[in-house]
Amino acid sequence: MTSIDIRLKPHEIALLKQLPGKKLEYIVHERFLNTNLVYFVVKVKVETIDPFYFYSCTEKLDYYGSTEDVAVMSIVSEPPFEYDQLDLIETPINETIHSIDLVQENQQEFCGDEQEYDNYVTRGIIFNFDDSQLSIEKSIWFSESFVIGRGTNLIEAYAPVSDFGTDWAPGHSGKCIRTIETLK
């Protein structure tokens, strides 16, 4: 059985654990065109903390039997590349973070009854405020995009785990288990 772990690393989670109780001042991202989808990077500024960046870049990984460019979410302290400041917008948030939900998935692939893959993925981050939330969701395996959401009950806007069980080759099936780790 093959196991791949592309969840956030312990030092990245340690950074997120510092944030509850602090004000999320703003985020910076590409302008939305037709959807709330942005590519590669979202800058986050939280009071008393240096800005950091959610970054999605591709790495060559096993993707169910073949080597593919798989997009992996990480948190970095420096902008990962030069990008055009004119195409970016700063979205003020100015809300105190009460907690952060770390949305994790265990994606399993089976051939008949035998499990062939056991993959672990960070699907997204949800910042919880008094009466609202901000979500940064990592899109599918191959996409370097993030879906940014603002509102309430944002976990309901994430792709359902049942979607992972569809579109497999004959004799193969998938199962996805989603867990939410709350950081306070």
Side-chain angles (χ1 to χ4, degrees):
M1 177 174 53
T2 301
S3 183
I4 297 171
D5 189 343
I6 55 173
R7 291 176 287 189
L8 291 177
K9 306 295 182 253
H11 71 277
E12 296 166 319
I13 294 171
L15 170 67
L16 294 175
K17 286 181 176 179
Q18 296 176 40
L19 305 182
K22 294 180 174 25
K23 184 181 289 187
L24 196 162
E25 296 174 358
Y26 60 83
I27 62 173
V28 177
H29 54 82
E30 290 179 304
R31 294 183 185 281
F32 296 145
L33 294 177
N34 297 315
T35 66
N36 53 338
L37 194 71
V38 300
Y39 290 94
F40 301 111
V41 65
V42 177
K43 179 180 179 180
V44 177
K45 177 61 177 107
V46 175
E47 69 178 350
T48 75
I49 306 264
D50 288 337
F52 59 91
Y53 303 80
F54 286 98
Y55 180 46
S56 181
C57 70
T58 57
E59 296 179 16
K60 291 201 178 299
L61 295 171
D62 182 317
Y63 182 73
Y64 303 106
S66 64
T67 301
E68 300 285 345
D69 287 333
V70 173
V72 177
M73 176 196 288
S74 62
I75 299 174
V76 296
S77 60
E78 296 292 326
F81 54 84
E82 289 289 328
Y83 52 97
D84 187 353
Q85 297 291 326
L86 298 176
D87 289 337
L88 301 178
I89 61 169
E90 182 178 303
T91 301
I93 306 295
N94 294 316
E95 297 265 3
T96 299
I97 302 166
H98 291 288
S99 63
I100 296 172
D101 292 336
L102 195 56
V103 182
Q104 309 278 31
E105 290 182 354
N106 175 215
Q107 300 173 347
Q108 304 169 359
E109 185 259 342
F110 298 85
C111 181
D113 292 333
E114 186 175 332
Q115 186 175 354
E116 292 187 332
Y117 283 87
D118 195 27
N119 298 331
Y120 295 89
V121 178
T122 297
R123 169 62 74 192
I125 310 293
I126 300 174
F127 294 92
N128 297 299
F129 310 117
D130 278 336
D131 298 316
S132 67
Q133 297 174 313
L134 171 74
S135 173
I136 300 174
E137 177 186 2
K138 168 67 182 71
S139 192
I140 62 171
W141 276 77
F142 298 113
S143 177
E144 295 95 350
S145 64
F146 292 110
V147 178
I148 297 177
R150 186 85 196 260
T152 58
N153 300 316
L154 293 179
I155 192 65
E156 294 176 11
Y158 279 48
V161 295
S162 60
D163 284 0
F164 188 77
T166 61
D167 295 331
W168 291 95
H172 291 257
S173 62
K175 177 181 176 184
C176 182
I177 301 163
R178 181 176 289 157
T179 58
I180 298 174
E181 178 184 351
T182 300
L183 310 176
K184 294 184 175 190

